[in-house]
Amino acid sequence: MTLQSKHFSPLDPASPEPIYRQIYWRFRGAISDGLLAPGDRIPAARALAKELGLARGTIDTAYSLLTAEGYLLARGQAGTVVAPGINVRKPSARAEQPLHAATSIRHKAPVLPFQMALPALDAFPRKIWSQIGARCVRATRIPDMANPSVLGLESLRTAIATYLQVARGITCSPAQVFITSGYRNTLALIAHALLKPGDRVLVEDPGYLPTRQLLAHLQIEVAPVPVDQDGMQVSQGVSSTMDARAAVVTPAHQSPLCVSLSLPRRLELLEWATRQQAWIVEDDYDGEYRYVSRPLPALKSLDRDGRVLYAGTFSKVLFPGIRLSYLVVPPAQVERFEHVSETFLGGCPELTQAIVATFLTEGHFARHIQRMRKLYGERREATARGLKKVLGDRIRIDLQPGGMHLILRLTGAQSDRALVERLLAAGIYAEALSDWRVRDETDSALLLGFANVDSEETAERLGKRILALM
Amino acid sequence: MTLQSKHFSPLDPASPEPIYRQIYWRFRGAISDGLLAPGDRIPAARALAKELGLARGTIDTAYSLLTAEGYLLARGQAGTVVAPGINVRKPSARAEQPLHAATSIRHKAPVLPFQMALPALDAFPRKIWSQIGARCVRATRIPDMANPSVLGLESLRTAIATYLQVARGITCSPAQVFITSGYRNTLALIAHALLKPGDRVLVEDPGYLPTRQLLAHLQIEVAPVPVDQDGMQVSQGVSSTMDARAAVVTPAHQSPLCVSLSLPRRLELLEWATRQQAWIVEDDYDGEYRYVSRPLPALKSLDRDGRVLYAGTFSKVLFPGIRLSYLVVPPAQVERFEHVSETFLGGCPELTQAIVATFLTEGHFARHIQRMRKLYGERREATARGLKKVLGDRIRIDLQPGGMHLILRLTGAQSDRALVERLLAAGIYAEALSDWRVRDETDSALLLGFANVDSEETAERLGKRILALM
């Protein structure tokens, strides 16, 4: 092809379409007309700029846009070519709407049935959320763009302190609330502030794997403590690891067994922490979701001596993609955490924080939780009924008062790991209880998220697919 | 007061205003009418719910909103009272517009003249940004809310890879790009993946303090290496710390001296890293901002042996409040960084990532950089002229080809630290070069950000205030 083809002359400087975009469209035209074929090398930006009498940057911008949309492929020193795999005959709807690229370039893996730790996305108030989002985007002013606080947006810290008082019985000031970008971020912050390599930490067994992984990576030794119907067996843990510096627990609904840490054990744990000057990390990842009686107050609400670090998150109550969590530290530790935050925290985008703060202060948050509590209670019952109807005596379901997943005990000699592999291969999500354990145990169970199972019929249908793979 | 007052009956269930909000307004009314005075205890939510025949949650929501807005103050076991300091006579504009709270609850410290590391916020294309933001908010679909990738949004990683090829001469695939929430986050990720406690790392002296702080906190030893007109004195550094495992450098515009690392030193550093199997961290915090000739390609563009970790950020090109940075790792290290990211990274909110990806792929980013390069070049000259005119021989300004701040050398026996303290007290931002040094040196200089100084007249006016404090 020649650069003097119809595709490259004349450009219109008077057009409302910027020059880079005119060039962009001309390349698109040249590709769809077959003047440029897949694999063809395109002119160097410098050469084309000279040819057309334009700034190099203009050509770069056009090329960068074409590359980002998949029309061109940059090959480093080998130059840039028309993307080999491109289908030039049938431009997709997307290709025709480059201005709406925002909708199409956010591509994701599909959500599988029984996905764990995923709230009911179909029931999320997306309309209200979008309205608040658009309002917050428009309300962005110059000072909002500068000087971000690594500790978090003041309005969000205040809204969280208020919410925790009402919903979880925790009395704290906004200064005690630190905004983080997720539980891992929260836990790393705690470790950097209060622990050092070589320290020993009690964790639940079975328990959440990322907790063990992160601590181990920081050269902190984890000491697994068995969990029974009343939660972590505190006496056994503190007596077998006398020098433990901290304990990480999930008191509301133990992760993954969904049992609650009993009041005597809560008090025992607090008493131990005070006596040993040790720390308790309360991972309250879904404390809001209790279906029988009201949610229990947080362990933190009983903390008289400032030993509990409370880790909350919006992943389960809003949605995981939001990447927003928080940590409440005892008043005496605020300064230390501020210092460590300055060193380690990147801070979270203020737009997201402003949207969540507004969602909280306008009352949408509290209403959403109430609606979800009702919905999940129904879905939990329906899922359990549907699965039981199909799977009968092959399983046993112990319904706990809270949580977002069911525990399907396998009554036969079935291996949960092997079954999970077959299920995943068939497009059904499940986790094996064995994978959450440190010590070997003989019991075998599937963990199944129920929040996105919309009816008993759906559960029955999925149950039949599980049955076929047992 | 009695609950049977006009303020609490009757509520209107048919109103489009939700019940909790009707209650909210009635409390507001009761406070502004003086029926409830500052310090008055308000009814317990449970009691009021019973009285009004409403769900407890409805009252909680109203109370939580009133508390968040400062009308009520929760006092734990002591109950909730009308906020003692509240001014009931003159409700502010904000108080009259609770539905637009989003605009008012984002309260920030003012930006001071000469603030460093702050782009020209007045020149940011806020309208385009808001439009894209609103579009991305509306385009949020259910899969966008689930399964966030801790590595970053695919479309953003692709757009960054394309941008780096065009703008910084770096050839990399999207899989090599990791999205982080700021430079500290990036550096911690590198340290977790490639370094261990006790390792020694070369850093520039003078140099960026947070780099030294973060490494020191991870028990990594920093070895300061002097900087001259050609950047870090590489030979001296590598010969005096033979066992260094890594070097952190700012090759484009040394932070804070703004000099560029010369080509011979770049090659020497790369050769050292290959020989010692050590790592180079290239902190390219403002590589785009060069005013004389075109920006230098990144050091990473010369990396043939996969030793360079490239740290980029959107803080300087977009705005600091965005909290979005990125890291490019060598292909052989991708798997290791994916593993460490799963352990440590919280991930960044996908909305922000989608907005930035769109801003990049639609070409706004490239145009914005070009406009800023021109504007900063002008502001830099104007600031230097204005200050020189007023301060004369008391200062010497060495204009370097790039950067976002001026270095005002103090020619007298003046202490930069003492002067900075007086300037900050007078509301003028400045940093003392001495504070950026590890070793003692006798030279004394002020670091002044010029990106927000809009004219020579402004610089003169500020220069007079500096003169008065000298």
Side-chain angles (χ1 to χ4, degrees):
Chain A
M1 67 162 285
T2 160
L3 292 178
Q4 298 309 320
S5 80
K6 67 164 176 147
H7 295 288
F8 291 96
S9 64
L11 292 162
D12 179 11
S15 158
E17 189 89 322
I19 296 288
Y20 82 91
R21 197 163 265 281
Q22 293 183 44
I23 294 171
Y24 161 85
W25 280 110
R26 276 145 210 248
F27 267 93
R28 289 276 309 273
I31 292 168
S32 67
D33 289 357
L35 282 170
L36 281 170
D40 276 359
R41 187 161 168 168
I42 62 156
R46 183 191 309 269
L48 184 58
K50 202 174 162 200
E51 184 98 19
L52 299 175
L54 295 171
R56 163 77 182 269
T58 308
I59 310 293
D60 285 344
T61 304
Y63 279 17
S64 126
L65 182 52
L66 288 158
T67 308
E69 292 191 357
Y71 292 100
L72 302 183
L73 184 68
R75 287 189 160 161
Q77 297 298 334
T80 297
V81 297
V82 177
I86 201 162
N87 181 344
V88 298
R89 293 297 149 207
K90 292 186 180 174
S92 68
R94 171 194 156 192
E96 292 305 300
Q97 300 183 346
L99 283 169
H100 296 90
T103 58
S104 58
I105 57 181
R106 302 174 65 185
H107 155 80
K108 278 305 183 43
V111 171
L112 298 181
F114 295 132
Q115 194 96 36
M116 279 178 74
L118 190 66
L121 299 178
D122 57 339
F124 186 77
R126 285 200 286 140
K127 198 172 160 190
I128 291 172
W129 185 260
S130 291
Q131 285 165 351
I132 294 175
R135 217 200 297 159
C136 289
V137 167
R138 281 195 307 273
T140 301
R141 297 285 171 266
I142 283 181
D144 300 325
M145 298 164 68
N147 303 341
S149 164
V150 291
L151 313 177
L153 198 65
E154 209 44 48
S155 58
L156 180 59
R157 301 172 81 193
T158 304
I160 290 171
T162 305
Y163 163 73
L164 290 176
Q165 171 77 63
V166 172
R168 312 291 297 123
I170 298 171
T171 303
C172 66
S173 73
Q176 291 172 255
V177 180
F178 292 74
I179 307 297
T180 73
S181 57
Y183 171 68
R184 287 166 173 79
N185 206 209
T186 301
L187 188 59
L189 187 65
I190 295 171
H192 289 316
L194 302 175
L195 300 172
K196 57 181 194 310
D199 278 356
R200 301 175 82 185
V201 172
L202 307 180
V203 298
E204 298 163 332
D205 185 19
Y208 190 52
L209 183 61
T211 297
R212 300 201 297 267
Q213 284 175 330
L214 189 139
L215 294 174
H217 196 105
L218 294 172
Q219 276 93 44
I220 292 165
E221 203 179 310
V222 294
V225 182
V227 172
D228 64 18
Q229 273 301 312
D230 291 321
M232 180 193 257
Q233 296 182 22
V234 175
S235 325
Q236 175 174 337
V238 303
S239 63
S240 66
T241 310
M242 302 285 284
D243 60 348
R245 294 299 311 130
V248 183
V249 285
T250 50
H253 313 123
Q254 199 272 335
S255 173
L257 296 179
C258 297
V259 297
S260 301
L261 188 64
S262 69
L263 184 60
R265 289 196 183 165
R266 289 178 185 223
L267 297 174
E268 189 180 358
L269 193 62
L270 286 164
E271 199 264 322
W272 161 78
T274 299
R275 192 175 64 236
Q276 300 283 36
Q277 294 291 291
W279 304 104
I280 300 168
V281 179
E282 176 174 24
D283 175 10
D284 197 31
Y285 64 106
D286 73 349
E288 290 85 358
Y289 292 142
R290 196 173 173 89
Y291 316 109
V292 180
S293 73
R294 283 189 68 79
L296 297 174
L299 170 60
K300 174 74 185 162
S301 70
L302 302 171
D303 179 28
R304 298 280 161 262
D305 301 307
R307 308 310 307 172
V308 179
L309 293 300
Y310 175 90
T313 180
F314 293 109
S315 292
K316 310 292 183 292
V317 177
L318 297 176
F319 51 90
I322 197 164
R323 309 316 305 150
L324 211 60
S325 294
Y326 51 92
L327 167 66
V328 179
V329 310
Q333 307 305 324
V334 165
E335 206 176 316
R336 188 191 302 211
F337 274 84
E338 284 179 353
H339 181 75
V340 175
S341 295
E342 294 286 347
T343 304
F344 282 96
L345 281 194
C348 300
E350 307 224 319
L351 174 60
T352 306
Q353 295 187 63
I355 296 174
V356 175
T358 308
F359 198 77
L360 273 155
T361 52
E362 293 191 356
H364 305 294
F365 190 79
R367 258 180 301 161
H368 180 57
I369 289 175
Q370 282 170 31
R371 284 180 51 231
M372 290 308 100
R373 205 176 280 151
K374 181 163 175 296
L375 180 71
Y376 293 177
E378 292 161 4
R379 288 188 170 181
R380 189 179 70 133
E381 296 287 343
T383 307
R385 269 199 314 272
L387 290 174
K388 192 70 193 164
K389 194 186 284 182
V390 174
L391 297 168
D393 287 346
R394 286 181 178 80
I395 58 159
R396 202 183 70 237
I397 301 177
D398 305 325
L399 280 191
Q400 297 297 340
M404 295 171 71
H405 63 267
L406 291 179
I407 299 157
L408 245 67
R409 305 260 172 198
L410 304 177
T411 52
Q414 186 97 244
S415 148
D416 52 4
R417 284 193 176 115
L419 180 54
V420 160
E421 267 183 37
R422 292 196 296 275
L423 288 169
L424 287 173
I428 296 179
Y429 193 92
E431 295 195 20
L433 178 57
S434 306
D435 285 334
W436 289 62
R437 291 201 183 279
V438 180
R439 294 154 312 143
D440 266 341
E441 291 279 343
T442 51
D443 61 339
S444 205
L446 299 184
L447 311 178
L448 301 176
F450 59 74
N452 285 282
V453 177
D454 61 3
S455 67
E456 186 172 336
E457 292 66 46
T458 302
E460 274 184 54
R461 188 168 46 72
L462 291 166
K464 283 176 191 157
R465 293 177 59 193
I466 295 176
L467 183 62
L469 294 165
M470 270 180 145
Chain B
M1 65 163 287
T2 159
L3 292 179
Q4 299 309 318
S5 81
K6 66 163 177 147
H7 294 288
F8 292 94
S9 63
L11 293 161
D12 177 11
S15 159
E17 190 89 325
I19 296 289
Y20 82 89
R21 194 163 267 282
Q22 294 183 44
I23 295 171
Y24 161 85
W25 281 111
R26 275 146 210 246
F27 267 94
R28 289 274 311 273
I31 292 168
S32 68
D33 290 358
L35 281 170
L36 281 170
D40 276 0
R41 186 161 169 171
I42 62 157
R46 184 192 307 270
L48 184 57
K50 202 174 162 198
E51 185 98 19
L52 300 175
L54 295 170
R56 163 78 183 269
T58 308
I59 310 295
D60 285 343
T61 304
Y63 279 17
S64 126
L65 182 53
L66 288 158
T67 308
E69 293 190 358
Y71 291 99
L72 301 183
L73 184 69
R75 287 188 160 162
Q77 298 298 334
T80 297
V81 297
V82 176
I86 200 160
N87 182 344
V88 298
R89 292 298 148 210
K90 291 187 180 174
S92 67
R94 170 193 157 191
E96 292 305 301
Q97 300 182 346
L99 283 170
H100 296 91
T103 59
S104 58
I105 58 180
R106 302 175 64 182
H107 155 80
K108 277 306 182 46
V111 172
L112 299 181
F114 294 133
Q115 194 95 35
M116 281 179 74
L118 190 64
L121 298 180
D122 58 339
F124 186 77
R126 284 202 288 137
K127 198 170 160 192
I128 291 172
W129 185 260
S130 291
Q131 284 164 351
I132 294 175
R135 218 199 298 158
C136 288
V137 167
R138 279 195 307 272
T140 301
R141 296 288 170 263
I142 283 181
D144 301 324
M145 299 163 70
N147 305 338
S149 164
V150 291
L151 312 177
L153 199 63
E154 210 41 50
S155 58
L156 179 60
R157 301 172 81 193
T158 303
I160 289 172
T162 305
Y163 164 73
L164 290 176
Q165 170 76 63
V166 172
R168 311 293 296 125
I170 297 172
T171 303
C172 66
S173 72
Q176 290 172 256
V177 181
F178 292 74
I179 307 298
T180 72
S181 57
Y183 171 69
R184 287 166 173 78
N185 204 210
T186 300
L187 188 59
L189 188 63
I190 295 171
H192 289 317
L194 303 175
L195 301 172
K196 56 183 194 308
D199 279 354
R200 302 175 81 185
V201 173
L202 307 180
V203 299
E204 298 163 333
D205 184 19
Y208 190 53
L209 183 61
T211 297
R212 300 201 295 268
Q213 285 175 329
L214 187 137
L215 294 174
H217 197 104
L218 294 172
Q219 277 94 45
I220 291 166
E221 203 179 309
V222 293
V225 182
V227 172
D228 65 18
Q229 273 301 313
D230 292 320
M232 180 193 260
Q233 296 182 22
V234 176
S235 324
Q236 176 173 337
V238 304
S239 62
S240 67
T241 310
M242 302 284 284
D243 60 347
R245 294 300 309 132
V248 183
V249 287
T250 51
H253 313 124
Q254 200 272 336
S255 174
L257 296 179
C258 296
V259 297
S260 301
L261 188 63
S262 69
L263 185 59
R265 289 195 183 166
R266 288 177 188 226
L267 297 173
E268 189 181 358
L269 194 61
L270 287 164
E271 199 264 322
W272 163 78
T274 300
R275 194 175 61 237
Q276 300 283 31
Q277 294 291 292
W279 304 105
I280 300 168
V281 179
E282 176 175 22
D283 174 9
D284 196 32
Y285 64 105
D286 73 348
E288 291 84 359
Y289 291 143
R290 196 174 173 89
Y291 315 110
V292 180
S293 72
R294 285 187 65 79
L296 297 175
L299 171 59
K300 174 73 185 163
S301 71
L302 302 171
D303 178 29
R304 299 279 162 263
D305 301 307
R307 308 311 306 172
V308 180
L309 291 301
Y310 175 90
T313 180
F314 293 108
S315 291
K316 310 292 182 292
V317 177
L318 297 176
F319 51 91
I322 197 163
R323 308 317 304 148
L324 211 58
S325 295
Y326 51 93
L327 167 66
V328 179
V329 310
Q333 307 305 324
V334 165
E335 207 176 316
R336 190 191 301 210
F337 274 84
E338 285 180 353
H339 181 75
V340 175
S341 295
E342 294 286 346
T343 304
F344 282 96
L345 282 193
C348 300
E350 306 225 320
L351 173 60
T352 306
Q353 295 188 62
I355 296 174
V356 175
T358 308
F359 199 76
L360 273 155
T361 52
E362 293 191 356
H364 306 296
F365 190 78
R367 258 180 301 163
H368 179 57
I369 290 175
Q370 282 170 31
R371 284 180 51 231
M372 290 309 99
R373 204 176 280 151
K374 181 163 177 295
L375 180 72
Y376 292 176
E378 292 161 7
R379 288 189 172 180
R380 190 179 70 134
E381 295 289 342
T383 307
R385 270 199 313 273
L387 290 174
K388 191 71 193 164
K389 195 185 285 181
V390 175
L391 298 169
D393 287 345
R394 285 181 179 80
I395 58 159
R396 201 183 71 236
I397 300 178
D398 305 326
L399 278 193
Q400 298 297 340
M404 296 171 69
H405 62 268
L406 291 179
I407 300 157
L408 245 67
R409 304 257 173 204
L410 304 176
T411 53
Q414 184 100 245
S415 148
D416 53 4
R417 284 192 176 115
L419 180 54
V420 160
E421 267 182 39
R422 291 196 296 275
L423 289 169
L424 286 173
I428 295 179
Y429 193 91
E431 296 196 21
L433 179 57
S434 306
D435 285 334
W436 288 62
R437 291 201 183 278
V438 179
R439 292 154 312 144
D440 267 342
E441 292 279 343
T442 53
D443 62 338
S444 207
L446 299 184
L447 310 179
L448 301 176
F450 58 75
N452 286 282
V453 178
D454 61 3
S455 67
E456 186 170 338
E457 291 66 45
T458 303
E460 274 184 53
R461 187 167 48 71
L462 292 166
K464 284 176 190 155
R465 293 176 61 194
I466 294 175
L467 183 62
L469 294 165
M470 269 179 144

